[in-house]
Amino acid sequence: MNSMVKQAQKMQEDIQAVQDRLEETEFTESAGGGMVELTMTGGRELKELKINPDIVDKDSIEDLQDIIIAGVNAIIHKIDEESAKEMEKVTGGVSFPGLF
């Protein structure tokens, strides 16, 4: 029983370490054929947004808005996939609802 508790504590520590590392990791994604590039941390803090000046057109601001939304959604999806992959390494594929 003591061994099982120690294993659970070790897994909890490993999970926390992965979460901490992912929070600080920066992810970059582009959208609109590279017209917009975003950098976001695993903690979902947007660090940088680069917009190619060629896409800026005051008469079609909706296009730029759509590309930015697509980029944000793509980078969040990328972060979620990486987080799930890293957690699976730690947990051996066992799911802990609400943990990640």
Side-chain angles (χ1 to χ4, degrees), residues 34-68:
M35 299 302 277
V36 171
E37 183 177 286
L38 303 104
T39 301
M40 183 179 280
T41 67
R44 291 175 176 65
E45 179 182 346
L46 187 60
K47 300 294 272 187
E48 187 173 24
L49 171 64
K50 294 180 184 176
I51 300 173
N52 184 319
D54 295 340
I55 197 169
V56 179
D57 179 357
K58 68 177 182 168
D59 295 326
S60 64
I61 196 73
E62 293 83 13
D63 292 341
L64 178 58
Q65 292 168 338
D66 290 344
I67 292 171
I68 291 171

Side-chain angles (χ1 to χ4, degrees), residues 6-23:
K6 285 184 181 184
Q7 285 178 326
Q9 287 174 336
K10 170 75 168 111
M11 184 181 290
Q12 184 178 13
E13 290 170 5
D14 291 346
I15 288 170
Q16 186 62 51
V18 168
Q19 287 175 330
D20 291 346
R21 184 172 36 86
L22 286 169
E23 288 274 327

